Amino acid sequence: MTTDDYRMADTPPILITFRTRRQWKPFLVLTLVGILLYQLMTLQRSEGSDFEPLRRGDVGHYLKMLFGYYYLFELVSVLIFVQLTLWVVRVFKIHTLQPRLGAVLRYELFFLPVFMGSILVFGPITNTLRYLVIFYPDYQWSVYFPEYFFTGSMFANYLLPFLIVGYGFININLFLDYNDYQKRQLDLLRQSAISSVNTEVEQNFSPNVQPIAHYPTHVEATDTEGETLVPVASIWYIEVENKNYMAYTEGRTYQLRKTLSELEAELNPRQFYRINRSVLLNLAFLKNYSFWENDKYIVRLTDGKTEFVMQRTRLKELKERIRSESV
């Protein structure tokens, strides 16, 4: 299965972006939910369930077992599980999804064998770590294998909790990506409306009337998690670093596909100004500027930390841009 399986020509696709860095809190919650679900399943065991300490009123022992025996080790399972899922996404190049029921169902079913197969990888690793910690230093092969290496019951115990964790992971991402998709579609509708007005002006009025300029609202970019579209209004500045063109937003950095000169030509000149050879600045985030030395000025951003050097020759045009932006 490739990206093309999820793409159809007549409808723009949803861009799939796995936000693992921003999902550590959901991962913590999903891990705990998975453990509690497993413990509920132990209520059917004849030898007693994991809730026995609570029945005896020994809350401390239960919490020690919950977080010491289960939670810490299963966080390792979740980490391995997520990395395996992301590896599959990269191998099969799943970066887009057609916003149709059939495509979404195929997308969901594609991950089912991925989630099941991942148990065969992280199960032995997690339980080996658990064995090494719990039985230290009295290790016995008969105790370790196969009970702490891998068994059918271990797979069965992991299956339902990790189906919940896995589908929670991909569907939280899908929900966020669909919201971004809807916002982009609304932006395209607005741009289409502006384009229609411009066309009507050109056709029905004087040829001297200039149409409204059409500037992109998003730029294509990549980060450590994949490809995405970055809203132009959220970019603080764009800078070239070792022939890499980077867009900086609040808390995140993206690599752009186009050069600084191409971006300067495409973006709204009333919004973006090239203060030097390396930096294209969003004037909305300009705080102030002041003389430095040798006909150079310091340009400061609204975050109070970021500064750039600008030649005096650029000052006059910068002032004109600021005035036009405020009009």
Side-chain angles (χ1 to χ4, degrees):
M1 183 177 296
T2 66
T3 303
D4 293 335
D5 292 324
Y6 302 119
R7 182 179 298 163
M8 297 183 69
D10 57 344
T11 306
I14 302 171
L15 296 178
I16 300 298
T17 305
F18 287 90
R19 301 163 168 83
T20 52
R21 291 186 178 181
R22 288 177 284 174
Q23 285 191 335
W24 61 271
K25 289 182 179 179
F27 284 139
L28 295 179
V29 174
L30 286 172
T31 302
L32 184 59
V33 169
I35 292 171
L36 293 176
L37 180 61
Y38 164 74
Q39 290 186 331
L40 287 173
M41 294 166 58
T42 66
L43 290 173
Q44 301 177 354
R45 292 191 313 200
S46 58
E47 63 271 22
S49 74
D50 287 342
F51 293 108
E52 285 298 323
L54 289 180
R55 292 180 178 178
R56 299 194 305 266
D58 193 349
V59 178
H61 178 73
Y62 172 76
L63 292 177
K64 181 180 178 180
M65 178 187 66
L66 175 64
F67 291 101
Y69 184 79
Y70 286 116
Y71 194 70
L72 292 178
F73 294 104
E74 297 315 331
L75 283 177
V76 176
S77 297
V78 171
L79 176 63
I80 298 173
F81 171 80
V82 169
Q83 293 304 314
L84 286 172
T85 303
L86 294 178
W87 177 78
V88 170
V89 168
R90 289 193 297 269
V91 169
F92 287 92
K93 300 180 180 179
I94 304 175
H95 301 308
T96 60
L97 174 65
Q98 192 69 24
R100 296 188 178 184
L101 180 59
V104 173
L105 290 177
R106 290 194 298 272
Y107 177 79
E108 301 284 340
L109 289 174
F110 170 78
F111 284 100
L112 180 59
V114 175
F115 297 158
M116 296 176 66
S118 65
I119 298 175
L120 302 176
V121 178
F122 68 73
I125 296 175
T126 299
N127 284 279
T128 296
L129 292 175
R130 198 193 321 266
Y131 170 80
L132 292 174
V133 172
I134 293 175
F135 288 90
Y136 176 83
D138 301 320
Y139 301 134
Q140 298 181 31
W141 177 255
S142 60
V143 176
Y144 168 69
F145 187 86
E147 188 65 27
Y148 279 86
F149 180 73
F150 196 79
T151 62
S153 61
M154 182 188 298
F155 182 87
N157 291 336
Y158 272 125
L159 182 58
L160 182 57
F162 268 87
L163 287 180
I164 293 175
V165 172
Y167 279 110
F169 170 44
I170 67 170
N171 285 305
I172 288 173
N173 275 291
L174 183 57
F175 174 76
L176 295 173
D177 289 332
Y178 183 69
N179 282 343
D180 292 341
Y181 169 81
Q182 287 185 313
K183 292 176 182 177
R184 288 194 295 271
Q185 292 302 103
L186 288 174
D187 288 338
L188 290 174
L189 287 174
R190 295 190 188 100
Q191 293 172 11
S192 178
I194 292 173
S195 178
S196 298
V197 171
N198 290 341
T199 302
E200 185 176 351
V201 169
E202 290 178 338
Q203 292 176 350
N204 299 293
F205 293 90
S206 168
N208 294 326
V209 176
Q210 296 296 320
I212 301 172
H214 179 226
Y215 301 107
T217 60
H218 293 73
V219 293
E220 294 183 350
T222 58
D223 61 8
T224 56
E225 299 172 357
E227 300 179 2
T228 187
L229 290 177
V230 181
V232 169
S234 69
I235 298 176
W236 291 35
Y237 62 94
I238 302 169
E239 186 174 20
V240 55
E241 301 174 358
N242 298 322
K243 297 184 179 180
N244 294 316
Y245 299 91
M246 314 300 294
Y248 292 83
T249 65
E250 185 174 5
R252 301 204 71 180
T253 303
Y254 301 89
Q255 183 169 350
L256 304 179
R257 296 180 175 179
K258 295 184 178 180
T259 67
L260 210 61
S261 297
E262 290 173 330
L263 292 165
E264 182 183 16
E266 293 181 7
L267 297 176
N268 188 348
R270 297 179 62 180
Q271 184 180 8
F272 283 86
Y273 179 64
R274 192 162 179 174
I275 60 174
N276 56 44
R277 292 183 178 181
S278 302
V279 177
L280 187 60
L281 176 65
N282 187 342
L283 297 179
F285 297 99
L286 171 64
K287 181 180 181 181
N288 56 42
Y289 52 87
S290 61
F291 180 75
W292 182 37
E293 63 179 13
N294 299 328
D295 283 340
K296 295 179 181 179
Y297 279 74
I298 295 293
V299 177
R300 303 180 183 88
L301 272 58
T302 52
D303 64 350
K305 298 181 293 184
T306 307
E307 298 180 347
F308 299 107
V309 176
M310 179 183 69
Q311 297 290 337
R312 184 185 184 92
T313 55
R314 309 287 296 171
L315 181 61
K316 181 179 179 180
E317 186 176 355
L318 174 61
K319 291 180 178 179
E320 292 175 353
R321 296 284 185 94
I322 295 173
R323 291 192 189 100
S324 65
E325 177 67 15
S326 62
V327 174

